[in-house]
Amino acid sequence: DIQMTQSPSSLSAFVGDRVALTCRASQSIGSYLNWYQQKPGQAPKLLISAASSLQDGVPSRFRGSGSGTDFTLTISSLQPEDFATYYCQQSYRTPYTFGQGTILEIK
Amino acid sequence: QLHLQESGPGLVKPSETLSLTCAVSGGSISDSSYYWVWIRQTPGKGLEWIGYISVSGTIDYNPSLKSRVTLSVDRSKNNFSLKLSSMTAADTAVYHCARLYSVGYYPLDYWGQGILVTVSS
């Protein structure tokens, strides 16, 4: 299986901060990388597909970048509703595996 | 707006078979652009891929669970189902169903909220 490693595992930040969450694949996955946001008790929500394609309705402060093995999700100006857990997922080869998540907490 | 809703027992005894159903509303399960997916989530192992099925009969199971998993689709009821046999405590998890867009980069564009299944005698 392709292993996905996210860092940091948790992050504290202020409203208005710019943050970068990283995701590394154990082998090259091209741009087959998706990002999800999950809030407690809710279903994960797709934010970005194909490494950098923003889903309809997702604010433009979210940006995805990278290819190959190294990927980044950047949130340019944190809003209160952005505090959640973020997961990356590779869709290059089944089983489509997930990172362990980054918990983004308000400082 | 598509909506996915899992249903089934919240408590299963060890060695029994888990049966879950995902009801799809706001869209057709027969749309050939999509696969229908099961994923489970635990605090320890995070999000774990179980497998997917399409209405055309394409099926893919996680090799780690393949010997115990069966997925099926019911077009007439617009739902799909998961069976997981020989349940143990390690199978205690929140089980999510989701839709996978089978064109391009295969994102999971809609998820159900999940159902907590506990394995205990």
Side-chain angles (χ1 to χ4, degrees), chain A residues 42-44, chain B residues 4-6 22 95-99 110-114:
Chain A
Q42 297 185 17
Chain B
L4 304 173
Q5 182 67 58
E6 303 89 348
C22 181
Y95 286 75
H96 294 276
C97 57
R99 187 178 81 168
Y110 285 95
W111 295 61
Q113 188 163 352

Side-chain angles (χ1 to χ4, degrees), chain A residues 36 38 41 43-44 87 91 94 96, chain B residues 41 60 105-106 108 111-113:
Chain A
Y36 303 89
Q38 187 178 31
Y87 296 96
S91 51
T94 60
Y96 294 158
Chain B
Q41 185 170 22
D60 186 275
Y105 290 84
Y106 316 126
L108 296 162
W111 295 61
Q113 188 163 352

Side-chain angles (χ1 to χ4, degrees), chain B residues 77-118:
Chain B
K77 295 181 179 178
N78 215 44
N79 67 30
F80 62 107
S81 298
L82 162 72
K83 291 188 186 298
L84 183 63
S85 64
S86 305
M87 294 283 282
T88 72
D91 296 311
T92 293
V94 174
Y95 286 75
H96 294 276
C97 57
R99 187 178 81 168
L100 181 148
Y101 186 46
S102 64
V103 177
Y105 290 84
Y106 316 126
L108 296 162
D109 60 354
Y110 285 95
W111 295 61
Q113 188 163 352
I115 182 169
L116 174 61
V117 176
T118 302

Side-chain angles (χ1 to χ4, degrees), chain A residues 41-57:
Chain A
Q42 297 185 17
K45 174 187 174 183
L46 177 65
L47 298 176
I48 289 170
S49 64
S52 61
S53 180
L54 199 66
Q55 296 304 293
D56 289 345

Side-chain angles (χ1 to χ4, degrees), chain B residues 26 56 76 82:
Chain B
S56 63
S76 66
L82 162 72

